[in-house]
Amino acid sequence: MPFQEIRQRFPLLLIIFTFLARFLSISGQHTPRYACDIDQNPSLKEFAFCNTSLDAKTRVGDLVKRMTLKEKVGSIVSVTDKIDRLGIPSYGWWSEALHGVSDTGSATWFNKSIVPGATSYPQVILTAASFNESLFYTIAKVVSNEARAMYNSGVAGLTFWSPNVNIFRDPRWGRGQETPGEDPVLTSRYGVAYVKGLQESEDGDKDRLKVGACCKHYTAYDLDNWTSVDRFHFNAIVTNQDLEDTYNPPFKSCVVEANASSIMCSFNKLNGKPTCGDKELLGDTVRGQWKLNGYISSDCDSLEVMFKDQRWEKTPEQVAADALNAGLDLNCGDSLKNFTENAVKKGLVNESVVDRAVTNNFVTLMRLGFFDGNPSKQIYGKLGKKDVCTQANQELAREAARQGLVLLKNSLGSLPLVSSYIKSLAVIGPNANATEAMIGNYAGVPCKYTSPLKGLSDSVKTLYELGCTDVKCASTEMFERAKNAAATADAVVLVMGTDLSIEREGFDRAEIDLPGQQNLLVSEVAYAARGPVILAIMSGGGMDVTLAKCNPKITSILWVGLPGQEGGGALADVVFGRYNPGGRLPMTWYPRSYAESVSMSNMNMRANASTGYPGRTYRFYRGEAVYPFGYGLSYSLYVHRLLKAPKHLSIPLNNTQTCSSSTCKSFNATGNVCNALSFDVDIMVTNIGQMSGSHTVMLFSYPPQVIYNSPHKQLLDFKKVRLGPWDRASVSFKIDVCKQMSVVDEDGNRRVALGQHILQIGDLKHSISLRI
Ligand SMILES: *[C@@H]1O[C@H](CO)[C@@H](O)[C@H](O)[C@H]1NC(C)=O
Ligand SMILES: *[C@@H]1O[C@H](CO)[C@@H](O)[C@H](O)[C@H]1NC(C)=O
Ligand SMILES: *[C@@H]1O[C@H](CO)[C@@H](O)[C@H](O)[C@H]1NC(C)=O
Ligand SMILES: *[C@@H]1O[C@H](CO)[C@@H](O)[C@H](O)[C@H]1NC(C)=O
Ligand SMILES: *[C@@H]1O[C@H](CO)[C@@H](O)[C@H](O)[C@H]1NC(C)=O
Ligand SMILES: *[C@@H]1O[C@H](CO)[C@@H](O)[C@H](O)[C@H]1NC(C)=O
Ligand SMILES: *[C@@H]1O[C@H](CO)[C@@H](O)[C@H](O)[C@H]1NC(C)=O
Ligand SMILES: *[C@@H]1O[C@H](CO)[C@@H](O)[C@H](O)[C@H]1NC(C)=O
Ligand SMILES: *[C@@H]1O[C@H](CO)[C@@H](O)[C@H](O)[C@H]1NC(C)=O
Ligand SMILES: *[C@@H]1O[C@H](CO)[C@@H](O)[C@H](O)[C@H]1NC(C)=O
Ligand SMILES: *[C@@H]1O[C@H](CO)[C@@H](O)[C@H](O)[C@H]1NC(C)=O
């Protein structure tokens, strides 16, 4: 039937149809938000900012010129004001995708009839334990697909405030689970891979973003709520040395190497100044030195925290002006919307500064295609609900958990269990049937859960006992039942540890033992058991598991982190030998005394002999560890043999330069001499076990102690190789001397020490002498 005829015969139907179409697109439930909808409003064609053949800079310049001050201040907050006359809808900046698309941010939500859930990958600390950069990248890429699919469905934004690249410097930190651990090199590598995976445009155009990533929380955050200190009042006292060699490197890498579209400043003060109002940190460093290509956002709402909690300035207008003048572009919250107009009128901040902020924000949205009209006609337009929670995406969640799981103890090769001998398995503990506990902080709604009990029950007959009602394990009431199960079964898997009631955002641990009576349950069950006893620790932070480590009845210990929605399947794969574990701890596991004697608010990385402060992380802490950074066993054994590494390295420095060969002990790691100053280390790795497996080769160095307070050991590089039984492979490292072998001096300058550097790979040690 021709259209004319329909219009004549069913006028009402047409009205209803038109109304419905309009309603659905305007209410935004099923369609994404976007600007420059030329199909609906052809007059928008007149605006140069809607012209996709112009570059983003020109377009945003045109847009900002057209905006009033009121419209501008409504565009620098996390829920922006719509500007109807310019065809710009309200945009929600705050989405999260730390380990899967999450509904923690207000711009993303799940809805049974639209997108009910998204794939929930292991919490970052466990993924980091895989030391597999291509895994980090692959997860982020899949997450960005699900994110775009959700944006297209009208239930997510395009800007995701992930990853968290703060250093996990204290085991009690409730958000340590969100980070890639305690090492600045690993954390930087994780951040770079994750940001690239989220952002990289599939058409290879470097100016375009698939989704926007954000590295947070800049900087020296690392404490949420510990005894009487909370993050809103915490003043982190940090030396230049620690800032430059520990807290800042991951942020620098995010910007310089990964081109992250955003950095978020933190709640805390750094050396007396709120980070979001610190021009040296934002304008000078992130924007100036690192050349951020994107926007700097506040935390939610750190400006209000500056005014109300930190009493930073007398008026909220002055706080708004300070933040904008420092280099802030976007405010999570509404402080900037409320107070910027007056701040401009009072002369506290110039309108040109507001223009800079609007420009940085809108350029980012332009690179995301937000100003290019209907996204269904664009590169990701085909992604939708069907691309979320696919079988492959969920399988990757299981794979990631398997790759991260760390085997900490395995006496007499009790693992893997041989299914033909193990006819029944007691699965015991408050996390044995864990679901939500597996996904941790900043999770969304997962597609489904495979709990440990479910995963193990798929392989063998199980007897399930809680042991304690919850992870706090206050009572021993249910111990008898658990012991009986252990005594009956051929083997026992205990799944203990924490959940968000013990460690989470806003809540740090007071102690690092297994909570409540968990240790007692573990030892009583182990005593009653007649077969092998496998202790699985589910946690974000490290635990003092000395009792279990020393108990001969406990034959194996596994750290499963917070393993994501498929965590139980991954655990079963490892327990039954379908997967050979190869994860390594991304953080030191300290003894309980550490938490008893060290103040969490002490930000110093370096030890201090005069106060008895032991220092932090494997780079500075020389005390006993329950399990050290980088620790992790396999069902195979790997041996390393050195193929090639220099014994000496001559640094082509002139006498005319500040360093003369007789008195000089170190040289500036940013000078010309650094160009092409590198060497190769080649090693042969052989799997001498009977199972194929993936092995992480970590290259550490012990620098000569020439520069005051140098780390005693540091990770230079790592690579992962997959090897069949009796397979071998050569692994090559190219070491950039200035970038990788340098240390930071007390003034915060990077220098390379001359003298003997010891390289270490596994049991292998090699000395290399640097001289002029
Ligand atoms: C968009 O910009 C291009 C390049 O300057 C120009 O040729 C074209 O006419 C513009 N389109 C419109 C609709 O103004
Ligand atoms: C989910 O979306 C449907 C369709 O738009 C809507 O009717 C319903 O109210 C939404 N439910 C929730 C909980 O938001
Ligand atoms: C690293 O992860 C990727 C993605 O899962 C995987 O294909 C690869 O085999 C892993 N590398 C090693 C050496 O295990
Ligand atoms: C970083 O992003 C900008 C886009 O604004 C692009 O021009 C530049 O090529 C990117 N750099 C790299 C190294 O990808
Ligand atoms: C910190 O913890 C204390 C005690 O648990 C609680 O009363 C307080 O509200 C918390 N503060 C913040 C900012 O979360
Ligand atoms: C901003 O103004 C709104 C509306 O008056 C108010 O609800 C909100 O609390 C204000 N926010 C701040 C940080 O002052
Ligand atoms: C505003 O700009 C003028 C001219 O560049 C400058 O003199 C003044 O200091 C600026 N005001 C503020 C608050 O930065
Ligand atoms: C395990 O947890 C799931 C989901 O919470 C629940 O449905 C199931 O009944 C639990 N299994 C047992 C044996 O308690
Ligand atoms: C060690 O602590 C003492 C006493 O607080 C202090 O004076 C000294 O500066 C500290 N040394 C270092 C290297 O931080
Ligand atoms: C050494 O000094 C000479 C002359 O001053 C200069 O040409 C040369 O570039 C210097 N070499 C390095 C590595 O700086
Ligand atoms: C190190 O060298 C760079 C580049 O030559 C120079 O800018 C910097 O000031 C030097 N730093 C020190 C501490 O000498």
Side-chain angles (χ1 to χ4, degrees):
M1 206 181 300
F3 187 66
Q4 288 298 328
E5 211 173 309
I6 299 179
R7 193 148 76 178
Q8 278 155 20
R9 288 172 55 180
F10 309 103
L12 189 63
L13 199 68
L14 193 73
I15 289 169
I16 290 173
F17 177 78
T18 314
F19 174 78
L20 265 181
R22 278 278 162 92
F23 173 78
L24 286 179
S25 78
I26 290 164
S27 72
Q29 286 284 2
H30 296 285
T31 54
R33 299 279 176 90
Y34 57 92
C36 298
D37 190 355
I38 287 166
D39 301 338
Q40 289 289 322
N41 185 354
S43 68
L44 296 175
K45 243 197 223 137
E46 306 300 314
F47 295 133
F49 71 82
C50 289
N51 186 341
T52 53
S53 34
L54 300 171
D55 63 279
K57 225 183 185 153
T58 309
R59 293 174 71 187
V60 82
D62 173 72
L63 172 55
V64 174
K65 248 189 358 232
R66 296 174 192 275
M67 294 169 74
T68 65
L69 179 57
K70 192 167 168 40
E71 286 167 344
K72 289 173 192 169
V73 306
S75 301
I76 55 177
V77 287
S78 46
V79 179
T80 66
D81 288 341
K82 65 186 167 114
I83 310 172
D84 284 337
R85 67 184 189 94
L86 300 175
I88 303 173
S90 166
Y91 175 74
W93 281 88
W94 185 12
S95 291
E96 301 272 355
L98 183 69
H99 54 112
V101 181
S102 159
D103 55 356
T104 312
S106 54
T108 301
W109 64 93
F110 295 101
N111 177 318
K112 281 211 165 58
S113 62
I114 306 175
V115 178
T119 315
S120 191
Y121 291 91
Q123 187 53 288
V124 176
I125 191 73
L126 188 73
T127 297
S130 74
F131 281 81
N132 182 348
E133 289 175 85
S134 74
L135 177 67
F136 308 159
Y137 175 83
T138 304
I139 290 176
K141 199 168 154 76
V142 169
V143 168
S144 69
N145 269 346
E146 295 201 352
R148 269 283 173 178
M150 286 182 67
Y151 167 73
N152 288 346
S153 309
V155 291
L158 291 165
T159 43
F160 290 81
W161 291 346
S162 308
N164 179 342
V165 294
N166 289 122
I167 294 294
F168 194 176
R169 71 177 175 105
D170 188 294
R172 290 163 285 190
W173 188 31
R175 299 188 77 172
Q177 57 176 287
E178 298 174 28
T179 75
E182 73 182 26
D183 182 66
V185 171
L186 174 62
T187 302
S188 298
R189 296 284 184 82
Y190 179 90
V192 168
Y194 200 79
V195 167
K196 285 186 173 173
L198 286 182
Q199 292 195 160
E200 270 178 10
S201 181
E202 283 174 13
D203 59 7
D205 184 342
K206 289 209 183 311
D207 283 328
R208 311 281 294 183
L209 297 165
K210 187 172 176 194
V211 301
C214 170
C215 293
K216 66 192 187 184
H217 316 75
Y218 180 68
T219 186
Y221 169 36
D222 300 59
L223 177 151
D224 266 53
N225 190 359
W226 177 76
T227 64
S228 54
V229 200
D230 71 51
R231 56 183 172 167
F232 307 124
H233 300 89
F234 181 44
N235 179 19
I237 304 295
V238 180
T239 64
N240 282 335
Q241 201 172 21
D242 288 340
L243 195 63
E244 286 305 319
D245 80 354
T246 301
Y247 295 110
N248 277 357
F251 292 97
K252 182 175 180 183
S253 304
C254 265
V255 175
V256 175
E257 287 174 51
N259 226 353
S261 67
S262 176
I263 292 288
M264 177 187 287
C265 47
S266 52
F267 284 122
N268 58 284
K269 289 194 258 185
L270 172 64
N271 297 328
K273 226 177 192 184
T275 60
C276 290
D278 192 331
K279 180 160 186 294
E280 231 176 277
L281 288 179
L282 308 188
D284 299 350
T285 305
V286 176
R287 183 76 57 193
Q289 276 178 42
W290 301 345
K291 310 212 178 321
L292 172 73
N293 201 312
Y295 65 99
I296 302 178
S297 175
S298 78
D299 208 329
C300 311
D301 175 349
S302 38
L303 269 61
E304 194 176 8
V305 166
M306 271 161 83
F307 179 62
K308 289 198 174 141
D309 299 300
Q310 298 171 343
R311 302 184 185 279
W312 174 245
E313 292 282 10
K314 292 212 165 52
T315 64
E317 284 80 11
Q318 189 62 60
V319 166
D322 286 356
L324 285 165
N325 286 327
L328 192 81
D329 301 307
L330 186 81
N331 169 214
C332 180
D334 52 15
S335 297
L336 282 185
K337 180 164 137 182
N338 290 7
F339 306 117
T340 302
E341 258 186 293
N342 273 338
V344 170
K345 283 180 188 143
K346 287 184 186 165
L348 303 174
V349 60
N350 282 327
E351 188 163 348
S352 61
V353 173
V354 180
D355 289 351
R356 178 218 67 212
V358 177
T359 301
N360 289 333
N361 299 340
F362 280 157
V363 161
T364 308
L365 289 184
M366 276 175 193
R367 295 172 64 204
L368 286 159
F370 185 79
F371 284 90
D372 296 353
N374 196 335
S376 71
K377 297 180 189 162
Q378 297 174 33
I379 170 169
Y380 311 107
K382 298 263 177 316
L383 293 172
K385 188 175 176 173
K386 64 177 191 326
D387 301 292
V388 183
C389 287
T390 63
Q391 207 47 49
N393 294 1
Q394 295 190 63
E395 182 49 38
L396 181 63
R398 185 161 175 157
E399 169 67 13
R402 277 195 294 250
Q403 288 197 27
L405 287 196
V406 183
L407 180 63
L408 294 169
K409 174 181 179 181
N410 196 17
S411 353
L412 312 168
S414 78
L415 277 180
L417 297 181
V418 181
S419 12
S420 52
Y421 297 150
I422 307 293
K423 299 292 178 207
S424 66
L425 184 67
V427 183
I428 297 172
N431 276 335
N433 192 24
T435 51
E436 272 164 73
M438 294 195 295
I439 61 180
N441 273 355
Y442 284 76
V445 177
C447 320
K448 67 168 198 297
Y449 290 109
T450 304
S451 71
L453 179 60
K454 170 80 172 69
L456 294 164
S457 301
D458 286 347
S459 302
V460 69
K461 187 177 142 250
T462 54
L463 288 83
Y464 167 59
E465 284 298 333
L466 263 170
C468 320
T469 43
D470 55 32
V471 289
K472 289 188 174 155
C473 200
S475 141
T476 59
E477 228 166 74
M478 301 160 87
F479 283 21
E480 268 327 295
R481 294 175 55 102
K483 282 151 65 180
N484 289 340
T488 325
D490 294 335
V492 178
V493 174
L494 280 151
V495 192
M496 310 301 289
T498 67
D499 61 18
L500 295 187
S501 70
I502 305 282
E503 42 175 356
R504 64 169 183 273
E505 179 170 25
F507 195 81
D508 300 323
R509 281 187 291 170
E511 45 184 53
I512 54 176
D513 292 300
L514 286 175
Q517 304 290 328
Q518 285 194 26
N519 266 321
L520 189 62
L521 176 66
V522 170
S523 58
E524 292 201 354
V525 164
Y527 188 75
R530 61 183 176 88
V533 177
I534 297 129
L535 172 63
I537 306 290
M538 191 178 285
S539 72
M543 295 277 170
D544 183 344
V545 289
T546 306
L547 287 176
K549 183 183 175 186
C550 299
N551 183 341
K553 287 281 290 181
I554 296 164
T555 47
S556 303
I557 305 178
L558 277 165
W559 177 61
V560 304
L562 304 174
Q565 66 167 59
E566 300 305 320
L571 173 65
D573 291 339
V574 167
V575 164
F576 288 101
R578 295 188 294 263
Y579 188 87
N580 187 355
R584 307 287 200 91
L585 290 182
M587 75 298 207
T588 307
W589 283 30
Y590 300 91
R592 61 182 311 180
S593 57
Y594 190 87
E596 288 161 357
S597 63
V598 174
S599 163
M600 196 180 164
S601 57
N602 189 331
M603 293 295 282
N604 287 328
M605 297 302 297
R606 273 93 181 152
N608 186 331
S610 70
T611 58
Y613 179 71
R616 295 181 180 279
T617 78
Y618 79 94
R619 290 158 64 231
F620 302 103
Y621 172 74
R622 306 290 297 270
E624 180 208 343
V626 177
Y627 289 111
F629 173 85
Y631 189 76
L633 307 170
S634 158
Y635 296 153
S636 292
L637 271 181
Y638 303 90
V639 293
H640 306 100
R641 185 162 59 85
L642 189 68
L643 294 178
K644 180 182 150 196
K647 284 199 160 66
H648 306 285
L649 202 68
S650 293
I651 312 299
L653 275 176
N654 283 336
N655 280 336
T656 51
Q657 288 173 296
T658 49
C659 214
S660 75
S661 46
S662 56
T663 56
C664 182
K665 294 205 159 58
S666 69
F667 65 93
N668 183 344
T670 51
N672 287 335
V673 65
C674 291
N675 299 338
L677 190 59
S678 65
F679 62 89
D680 295 322
V681 178
D682 294 350
I683 60 145
M684 181 65 78
V685 198
T686 310
N687 177 356
I688 57 166
Q690 285 167 11
M691 274 181 89
S692 61
S694 287
H695 175 63
T696 300
V697 183
M698 293 177 177
L699 174 58
F700 290 99
S701 87
Y702 295 79
Q705 293 296 309
V706 161
I707 288 151
Y708 186 64
N709 263 337
S710 292
H712 82 101
K713 179 182 183 183
Q714 61 185 357
L715 183 65
L716 301 185
D717 202 352
F718 58 88
K719 292 219 160 105
K720 193 142 199 189
V721 277
R722 186 156 187 86
L723 292 170
W726 290 101
D727 257 7
R728 55 183 201 169
S730 70
V731 175
S732 304
F733 296 99
K734 188 170 199 74
I735 300 301
D736 179 318
V737 172
C738 292
K739 273 200 186 123
Q740 291 168 280
M741 304 264 285
S742 58
V743 296
V744 171
D745 69 14
E746 284 178 286
D747 299 324
N749 297 311
R750 257 188 196 278
R751 302 189 66 82
V752 179
L754 295 171
Q756 298 282 327
H757 293 244
I758 313 289
L759 302 182
Q760 185 211 332
I761 299 164
D763 295 335
L764 200 74
K765 284 201 173 169
H766 173 78
S767 166
I768 166 170
S769 160
L770 264 57
R771 56 191 186 200
I772 294 173

